[in-house]
Amino acid sequence: MDGLRFGDYTGSVSALSKPSRTAALVADLTGAQRAAVEHGDGPLLVLAGPGSGKTRVITRRAAYLAGTVTTAAHVLAITFTNKAAREMQERIAALDVEAGMTVCTFHAWCARLLRTHSRQAGIAPHFTVLDRDDRRRLVKSAIESAGLSPTHLPVAAVERAIGDAKCEMQTPEAYRASRPGWQEQTCGHVYAEYEKLRVRMEALDFDDLLVSAARLLTEAEQVRGRLEDRYRYVLIDEYQDTNLAQYVIARLLTRDRQNVCATGDPDQSIYGWRGANIRNILTFEKDYPTARVVCLEDNYRSTKRILRVADALIARNCQRKEKSLRTGNAEGPAVVVVECETAEEEAAWVAREIRTLRDQEERGGEVAVFYRVNSLSRAMEDALRKEGLAYQIARGVAFYERREIKDVLAYLRVLVNPADDLSLLRIINTPPRGIGGTTVDRLVNLAREREQPLARLITEEDVLRALGRPAAAVQRFDCLLKELAEALTLAAPRALEYVLSYSGLRALFGRTENMEDAAAGNLDELVSAATLFQHDHPDARLVDWLEYAALVSDVDTVREGAGRVTLMTLHAAKGLEFDTVFIVGMEDGLLPLRRDEEDASDVEEERRLCFVGMTRARRRLVLSRARYRMARGAAIRTVRSGFLDELPRAELEWSCLEDSAPRAGRSAEEQASAERFADWSVGRLVRHPLHGLGQVLALDGGPRSWRAAVLFRDGSRRAFILEHAPLELVAFDEVGD
DNA sequence: AATATTCCCGTTTTT
DNA sequence: CGGGAATATT
């Protein structure tokens, strides 16, 4: 990520003697970078601004430690993303470090720890890892189980509450004790139920991995001590994004030796809403009084102009460590700000601009478009397609979220962990085998009553008898599971194949011939992935692969370059860099994002998010906004983002695009819409398939999206969008009836 | 039990 | 406007 101008060291160092080898590790570094790499024992904090060569410093330091004061096996490097872990691994390997260093994500490390110390942690060694979808379903089930209704109590809110509680390492009891509010009490109650169900099915969600690991380290001093002896040097990347559990883990792992190296940038802390505590990095020096602090302020990525603009913005934040950004790079062109009329025009303008760039000699280099919320991608996609530009979207959900993939994995999960009710429910009638909703409901209720896993329940004689006719199908399903258990003796790829063919899933997804239905292909891809995994980890068992599949679901879809425009949210942009960056939707309420006035949203974090986006740009930065944006079917007038006003005018090239003249495509559309609803007027009678006859009380919204308020015979008043509502105008001569 | 409507509700999401 | 879930329909 640090650009080539930095002079990548590519030669082989293996032939050199040890001292010159370590000398080579720092030969091309700046003073500050070198200081960080060569720092010996004791805590070290590396505050690394954007584009300052942070990754380079960490990898060099890891290699340096392994080659001087210790060996690779004693070094632990922790990242947040799989992508970062992989990159670090590759770069360290390229530095010719002996094998045996542990480089992985927090979650993977915790999962491994909990499996190897499952007894001390009080957890089943074959525990299931719950992904986000699993958690949502389990929360729903917990709500029902608590005697409440998911329609009354928003699942998302409870999910958030549980997430918040876990990030703060609070048990349901602690959560309720700390929050007296009525709603929080209810959430706490569901949380308790959730935990009960989760424990019963021998599963851990993502947060549990961290929390349980932190608890284990807290409570089992022997384990903690052994780990500290094993991992004598701990490096933690993106320290500004650590939450309480991660913080506890880091502290406990380095309690005696204090050999912790934290790297990060408080100005790039953008996951506060997920429990990350920026104070962890801000108070590092208090936590480790002997800490040495190294600041990397030289930027090797962006132009002077871009840095001055980004710096002016971030300087508005109060909660931060002052830090300047400097670069020896060129001055560069002005940062461009564009105000358009509508979101469509904004997108079209950006697309045209990219086209122009592409027609130039350097073709604009790598180009990215960032936005605050995913919903803004649609307009951009349409515009890019119209302009004939290839693009790629970094979407959060990927391969492992697909239905067919989750289905096979569910089979394997049930085999590995029969208590996994969630997975069992997923496959009990997939492929269809005559076990309908009513039967499933009955089983679920019984399971709830008896506090028994479904897999066991369906083997009970009395249950089968009570089930009546569908009992045969249920029994057949149970037999199938027993047959499939054979797969447990196989390596992951074989196990997959086995389950795919014997469960009938292969047949189910193989015959769907919809052209865009890539299900069969996806399954093949999954088998390939498993094969690859088995190749890389010859000793891995099926559990290990399942864990990998749960934790690695972020198969980074974003590939470098390829001449395609990259679309992503600002959050996804962290750690990346592009020659040209567009940030669209620079509007109040969108960036900074706010849903209702004075919600708890943290403007400083929003500013950091904007800062992260801006500092991804190497040469060109463009910020845009629309004066009108569609929200819930209607065009809403927007207010431009306050962040734009915080930028130094002298560095900007500001243009306000008026309603662009030629809009042939649209006017035709508009005309059609106008014609279609020309007969509509206030007072006319209409018929609705459900509500019957009614009278139009009001019409508004304009030619682009007509809306009508209708009073029905039963006295109810309803609003409709004409384009979509199944409303029919009643002819005048029909009124007689 | 599977398909067709209508209704409901909209942040960000490393693992 | 659009997806997803709850409900209505055959």
Side-chain angles (χ1 to χ4, degrees):
Chain A
M1 293 282 135
D2 316 319
L4 279 172
R5 72 204 77 142
F6 213 48
D8 241 305
Y9 186 86
T10 49
S12 164
V13 284
S14 53
L16 303 176
S17 63
K18 210 172 184 183
S20 48
R21 222 157 108 179
T22 51
L25 284 174
V26 294
D28 55 350
L29 300 183
T30 64
Q33 292 176 329
R34 189 175 178 145
V37 170
E38 292 183 331
H39 171 82
D41 285 9
L44 170 68
L45 174 65
V46 180
L47 292 171
S52 62
K54 180 191 64 169
T55 309
R56 161 170 307 233
V57 167
I58 304 181
T59 51
R60 297 294 179 90
R61 175 164 173 78
Y64 181 87
L65 290 172
T68 56
V69 292
T70 188
T71 55
H74 289 310
V75 178
L76 169 65
I78 302 186
T79 65
F80 277 79
T81 67
N82 294 302
K83 197 177 164 203
R86 198 171 333 124
E87 187 189 341
M88 201 176 288
Q89 231 151 10
E90 281 163 10
R91 289 177 63 159
I92 290 174
L95 292 171
D96 211 39
V97 175
E98 55 183 327
M101 194 181 294
T102 307
V103 182
C104 63
T105 66
F106 257 111
H107 293 264
W109 188 80
C110 290
R112 210 175 305 162
L113 174 71
L114 292 170
R115 283 203 208 278
T116 46
H117 297 85
S118 59
R119 199 178 44 78
Q120 292 97 322
I123 296 169
H126 56 262
F127 68 81
T128 299
V129 177
L130 264 27
D131 67 17
R132 239 177 80 248
D133 181 57
D134 297 327
R135 170 187 266 198
R136 218 196 64 244
R137 287 168 54 206
L138 193 59
V139 165
K140 225 183 223 172
S141 168
I143 291 174
E144 279 161 14
S145 191
L148 301 157
S149 144
T151 44
H152 264 282
L153 190 63
V155 179
V158 181
E159 231 180 308
R160 233 180 92 77
I162 294 178
D164 288 350
K166 290 195 174 182
C167 283
E168 287 167 43
M169 294 183 68
Q170 285 183 323
T171 60
E173 297 71 41
Y175 178 83
R176 293 183 72 173
S178 72
R179 284 165 237 227
W182 178 79
Q183 241 188 338
E184 284 85 351
Q185 288 298 305
T186 313
C187 287
H189 185 61
V190 177
Y191 175 23
E193 197 57 38
Y194 172 90
E195 286 296 281
K196 221 166 88 187
L197 296 176
R198 180 184 69 69
V199 169
R200 196 178 301 153
M201 58 185 267
E202 304 182 337
L204 270 67
D205 62 32
F206 287 145
D207 294 329
D208 291 323
L209 291 174
L210 304 175
V211 172
S212 302
R215 290 236 170 85
L216 175 65
L217 292 180
T218 309
E219 287 159 12
E221 171 57 23
Q222 251 201 347
V223 174
R224 193 209 65 78
R226 276 209 304 276
L227 286 169
E228 180 156 15
D229 195 50
R230 160 90 206 266
Y231 302 113
R232 298 182 188 170
Y233 293 86
V234 179
L235 295 91
I236 301 169
D237 195 17
E238 308 281 17
Y239 196 75
Q240 78 279 357
D241 289 331
T242 50
N243 65 22
L244 178 64
Q246 289 160 328
Y247 169 81
V248 168
I249 292 168
R251 293 225 64 186
L252 288 174
L253 264 183
T254 60
R255 196 189 67 195
D256 298 338
R257 292 176 198 265
Q258 302 258 311
N259 284 332
V260 57
C261 167
T263 56
D265 179 2
D267 290 337
Q268 295 185 61
S269 162
I270 55 176
Y271 284 101
W273 52 274
R274 255 188 127 266
N277 192 346
I278 192 173
R279 287 176 42 88
N280 290 160
I281 194 167
L282 293 176
T283 62
F284 185 88
E285 293 159 84
K286 284 204 189 77
D287 294 333
Y288 299 93
T290 61
R292 167 151 193 200
V293 181
V294 174
C295 289
L296 304 179
E297 294 175 303
D298 291 304
N299 180 299
Y300 301 94
R301 178 187 296 155
S302 311
T303 64
K304 289 194 170 71
R305 279 282 226 335
I306 291 170
L307 285 185
R308 282 200 296 267
V309 171
D311 195 46
L313 179 75
I314 202 66
R316 302 272 182 155
N317 273 3
C318 302
Q319 208 193 107
R320 80 177 201 117
K321 263 184 156 73
E322 288 243 356
K323 163 159 80 1
S324 62
L325 301 168
R326 41 172 196 258
T327 183
N329 289 343
E331 190 67 15
V335 170
V336 175
V337 177
V338 181
E339 298 192 72
C340 303
E341 199 60 20
T342 67
E344 289 69 33
E345 282 173 34
E346 177 190 38
W349 185 86
V350 170
R352 238 177 294 127
E353 199 65 14
I354 295 174
R355 156 79 35 209
T356 312
L357 241 31
R358 286 279 192 258
D359 292 340
Q360 286 169 10
E361 202 177 338
E362 43 170 340
R363 308 187 63 73
E366 289 179 296
V367 179
V369 182
F370 302 152
Y371 33 80
R372 177 63 234 261
V373 296
N374 275 121
S375 59
L376 295 198
S377 77
R378 187 170 308 277
M380 257 339 290
E381 286 181 70
D382 292 345
L384 289 172
R385 260 198 306 272
K386 265 189 209 154
E387 198 65 54
L389 291 163
Y391 63 88
Q392 60 178 151
I393 297 190
R395 54 193 196 291
V397 279
F399 188 68
Y400 286 87
E401 301 270 320
R402 305 198 58 116
R403 208 180 66 109
E404 62 274 18
I405 301 298
K406 292 217 72 172
D407 286 346
V408 209
L409 291 178
Y411 271 97
L412 294 175
R413 275 165 52 161
V414 169
L415 298 182
V416 168
N417 175 13
D420 185 348
D421 282 2
L422 231 37
S423 296
L424 191 134
L425 284 174
R426 191 176 186 101
I427 59 172
I428 193 165
N429 201 33
T430 313
R433 50 173 70 87
I435 305 176
T438 337
T439 309
V440 171
D441 283 349
R442 263 153 86 189
L443 287 172
V444 168
N445 286 331
L446 267 178
R448 203 167 276 161
E449 269 171 41
R450 304 197 186 181
E451 308 201 345
Q452 239 183 14
L454 286 165
R456 172 118 53 85
L457 197 78
I458 59 175
T459 63
E460 306 277 348
E461 297 247 338
D462 60 320
V463 173
L464 288 170
R465 226 174 300 124
L467 242 34
R469 207 177 49 173
V474 172
Q475 228 169 346
R476 248 177 288 128
F477 174 64
D478 183 45
C479 289
L480 174 68
L481 287 185
K482 294 207 164 81
E483 275 173 51
L484 289 177
E486 181 72 21
L488 285 172
T489 62
L490 305 172
R494 300 286 317 281
L496 249 180
E497 288 286 13
Y498 187 87
V499 166
L500 274 174
S501 46
Y502 285 94
S503 66
L505 275 185
R506 176 75 88 187
L508 178 72
F509 291 117
R511 71 176 145 70
T512 37
E513 288 167 40
N514 305 344
M515 51 224 90
E516 57 167 342
D517 190 5
N522 287 332
L523 291 176
D524 292 337
E525 209 176 305
L526 185 69
V527 176
S528 313
T531 309
L532 199 66
F533 175 83
Q534 199 73 54
H535 176 79
D536 290 344
H537 311 266
D539 299 330
R541 301 152 299 162
L542 188 54
V543 214
D544 301 314
W545 182 66
L546 284 178
E547 177 181 299
Y548 170 85
L551 259 28
V552 178
S553 45
D554 151 67
V555 192
D556 44 329
T557 35
V558 186
R559 279 175 300 167
E560 305 285 308
R564 296 189 295 175
V565 181
T566 304
L567 268 47
M568 62 174 82
T569 63
L570 285 161
H571 281 94
K574 194 167 75 167
L576 305 176
E577 61 178 78
F578 300 86
D579 295 298
T580 303
V581 165
F582 293 85
I583 302 179
V584 300
M586 294 290 303
E587 294 143 37
D588 187 56
L590 240 191
L591 184 64
L593 187 69
R594 206 179 324 103
R595 63 183 139 185
D596 43 82
E597 67 280 352
E598 259 5 89
D599 67 10
S601 88
D602 180 356
V603 180
E604 296 214 347
E605 181 154 315
E606 296 291 317
R607 200 179 273 113
R608 291 193 290 268
L609 198 49
C610 189
F611 173 77
V612 166
M614 298 201 290
T615 53
R616 301 306 98 194
R618 294 195 194 103
R619 292 202 51 74
R620 268 176 300 269
L621 175 62
V622 182
L623 311 170
S624 70
R625 87 172 263 220
R627 276 185 282 267
Y628 290 90
R629 192 172 290 277
M630 290 297 243
R632 299 191 304 275
I636 303 294
R637 168 170 240 120
T638 68
V639 174
R640 80 157 171 265
S641 169
F643 293 164
L644 287 175
D645 300 318
E646 296 173 359
L647 308 179
R649 287 290 175 126
E651 313 285 353
L652 308 177
E653 187 184 302
W654 199 305
S655 54
C656 298
L657 266 43
E658 294 307 323
D659 214 347
S660 59
R663 295 189 297 169
R666 167 112 42 74
S667 70
E669 238 173 69
E670 226 166 80
Q671 205 168 350
S673 167
E675 264 167 42
R676 204 168 138 207
F677 302 112
D679 294 337
W680 285 71
S681 60
V682 173
R684 290 211 49 175
L685 291 182
V686 294
R687 182 178 285 118
H688 188 278
L690 196 66
H691 304 108
L693 275 184
Q695 189 174 30
V696 178
L697 289 180
L699 277 172
D700 64 299
R704 306 226 42 210
S705 57
W706 282 109
R707 288 182 308 173
V710 179
L711 177 68
F712 288 99
R713 275 198 180 156
D714 62 3
S716 65
R717 241 190 95 150
R718 284 158 207 282
F720 298 91
I721 293 167
L722 295 192
E723 199 81 44
H724 311 292
L727 276 175
E728 240 182 290
L729 220 44
V730 178
F732 290 111
D733 50 19
E734 230 182 287
V735 179
D737 72 83

